[in-house]
Amino acid sequence: TLLAKNNRLGGPGSLPKGLGQAPLGRSLRVLNLSGNRFAEVPPALLGLRGLQSLSLGGNRLHSIPPDIQELRSLEFLYLGGNFITSIPPELANLPSLSYLVLCDNKIQSIPPQLAQLHSLRSLSLHNNLLTYLPREILNLVHLEELSLRGNPLVVRFVRDLTYNPPSLQELAGRTIKARSVPYAPSDLPENLVRYLSLASNCPNPKCGGVYFDSCVRQIKFVDFCGKYRLPLMHYLCSPECSSPCSSASQSSTSQSESDSEDEASVAARRMQKVLLG
């Protein structure tokens, strides 16, 4: 364990070169550098492969390096009280991460890849700039504590609906998938076979469609803990899946919302502490 918090570290030479290969680096399990002056995560730390707990709160960090994924043994990561604006998807490659603290930053969105953190038990995101959460967050099966207070999604709900028309390639791909047209790798160029493998199913149970790059981004509000309505981002294959113009569309949307709320109620029962205010 090395505690070096509340100092003036952060300039050139603050940490010794080759720390990861030194005897200390190989045996270090807990490192606390909070309350210093680091403007970036020191590259020397990324070689500490046995590190289980890392605290860099209250520094001057503006980003999280994608190479954070090299700390494969990390269980606790504290980055609160910085100026971080985004979360790299590579953070999801930490298989043992159980506690992630990103509060008091300037984060505007959560990458859906974070749902791959299957060991995550506590996620602190309070006092950021979040207006919605990815729907995939419901897949964090071991998450018990989610802190969201002080975000716009709590004090000011935001609705968003955007759609870019699909390309001819996507229209062809949708037809192949929707009609189950058989094909083999020998029938198509390798890039088209790879493209067809990237199809995503529309979550609307009445639709049954697929999409590739073109989709409708829409906020759905679901009940959490019987009190709060939490905005989750959904991706639909076309505006017809959410349009109120036809009774069929209305029925589809209603069913989709119902399924979302059922899904959220399961997550709400699982999460013992959902801190929204």
Side-chain angles (χ1 to χ4, degrees):
T1 298
L2 174 59
L3 305 181
K5 59 182 180 179
N6 301 327
N7 285 288
R8 298 182 180 181
L9 300 175
S14 292
L15 297 179
K17 294 181 180 180
L19 180 61
Q21 290 71 44
L24 171 63
R26 291 196 297 269
S27 62
L28 200 59
R29 298 294 178 265
V30 178
L31 176 60
N32 191 328
L33 294 173
S34 292
N36 280 285
R37 300 178 178 180
F38 290 104
E40 62 179 17
V41 176
L45 300 187
L46 302 177
L48 301 175
R49 303 302 171 84
L51 199 63
Q52 297 174 352
S53 175
L54 174 61
S55 298
L56 277 165
N59 276 277
R60 302 172 182 177
L61 305 179
H62 284 79
S63 63
I64 305 172
D67 287 344
I68 195 80
Q69 65 182 337
E70 301 298 329
L71 302 179
R72 304 284 291 176
S73 300
L74 210 58
E75 300 176 6
F76 177 91
L77 179 59
Y78 190 104
L79 297 173
N82 282 286
F83 303 94
I84 297 169
T85 57
S86 63
I87 303 171
E90 289 81 2
L91 191 63
N93 295 330
L94 297 176
S96 302
L97 194 63
S98 299
Y99 298 89
L100 177 57
V101 181
L102 294 167
C103 60
D104 299 294
N105 278 286
K106 299 181 181 296
I107 299 169
Q108 300 183 36
S109 63
I110 304 298
Q113 290 87 349
L114 240 58
Q116 300 171 20
L117 290 173
H118 300 302
S119 298
L120 199 63
R121 296 175 55 192
S122 178
L123 177 58
S124 296
L125 295 168
H126 52 271
N127 297 332
N128 275 286
L129 302 175
L130 299 172
T131 55
Y132 67 88
L133 295 177
R135 183 173 182 263
E136 289 81 359
I137 201 169
L138 299 177
N139 296 330
L140 292 172
V141 295
H142 295 294
L143 192 64
E144 298 175 353
E145 180 173 315
L146 174 63
S147 179
L148 294 169
R149 66 182 184 276
N151 279 283
L153 64 81
V154 177
V155 298
R156 178 175 54 84
F157 288 146
V158 177
R159 295 180 182 272
D160 187 21
L161 178 63
T162 59
Y163 183 67
N164 294 318
S167 64
L168 291 177
Q169 177 176 275
E170 175 153 351
L171 289 174
R174 289 187 181 197
T175 300
I176 290 173
K177 288 294 186 178
R179 299 186 180 181
S180 300
V181 177
Y183 64 90
S186 58
D187 300 329
L188 299 171
E190 182 180 349
N191 64 315
L192 292 181
V193 173
R194 189 184 313 113
Y195 179 79
L196 289 171
S197 69
L198 299 176
S200 298
N201 293 321
C202 183
N204 187 337
K206 296 285 187 176
C207 173
V210 300
Y211 64 88
F212 293 86
D213 302 312
S214 178
C215 61
V216 176
R217 299 171 65 249
Q218 187 178 51
I219 298 294
K220 294 289 185 180
F221 293 85
V222 295
D223 287 326
F224 261 68
C225 300
K227 180 178 181 181
Y228 297 101
R229 291 184 64 79
L230 195 63
L232 300 181
M233 181 63 78
H234 283 232
Y235 298 90
L236 303 174
C237 67
S238 71
E240 285 73 19
C241 282
S242 57
S243 172
C245 296
S246 69
S247 59
S249 298
Q250 289 178 358
S251 175
S252 298
T253 304
S254 175
Q255 181 66 40
S256 179
E257 289 178 348
S258 176
D259 288 356
S260 298
E261 293 184 358
D262 289 344
E263 191 176 27
S265 66
V266 172
R269 289 195 296 270
R270 186 175 68 237
M271 295 182 192
Q272 301 300 312
K273 297 179 181 178
V274 180
L275 308 177
L276 292 168

